[in-house]
Amino acid sequence: MSVWRRTLDLLLGRRPVLMQVGAICRDPASGNVLLITSRDTGRWVIPKGWPMEGRTLPGAAAQEAWEEAGVRGRIRPAELGRFRYRKQQDQGYAVPVEMRVYLLSVDSVSDRFPEARQRKRRWFAPVEAACMVVEPGLKQILAGLDRPDAA
């Protein structure tokens, strides 16, 4: 984005779109996906966070999967999909965020992980997981995993 465009957006009160990365953690044996609860509202979400210095975008998504859900596995380097949503801030306003989603094939699940006491986690069939999340774009990505040709 050009400096001129960025300046115009700020003058008009528009915020630039921020980027986050997320992991859809899938059990290769059952095809089920793991959802976790958010720390603030307790709604069902996927592990997600901000890009990390020194990590690729899929690498950052895999790190979030460990910290927030206690899973490790093989992350695919290609995006599974992306969607936009409005991330609520502690200060009471929301900011636009583009979420880039990567598929993580789960190899191991641990009961001891950094956010274990702050979140619940549960396995769902992809179509069921799609019904549990709020974001329309994430619903679409999860529902697409039920197709026979899905990742």
Side-chain angles (χ1 to χ4, degrees), residues 40-74:
D40 51 358
T41 64
R43 64 188 176 82
W44 291 106
V45 297
I46 61 172
K48 64 184 180 303
W50 304 107
M52 299 174 186
E53 190 173 331
R55 291 187 189 271
T56 63
L57 296 178
Q63 181 63 30
E64 292 295 342
W66 164 249
E67 292 175 9
E68 296 183 358
V71 298
R72 294 198 189 272
R74 295 175 313 281

Side-chain angles (χ1 to χ4, degrees), residues 125-132 142-143 146:
V127 71
E128 186 182 5
C131 293
M132 302 301 292
L142 287 165
D146 261 350

Side-chain angles (χ1 to χ4, degrees), residues 7 52 58 71-72 79 89 91 94 101 105 108 117 129 133 141 151:
T7 303
M52 299 174 186
V71 298
R72 294 198 189 272
E79 281 182 28
Q89 301 296 293
Q91 299 84 356
V101 179
S105 181
S108 65
R117 292 185 175 175
V133 299
I141 293 169

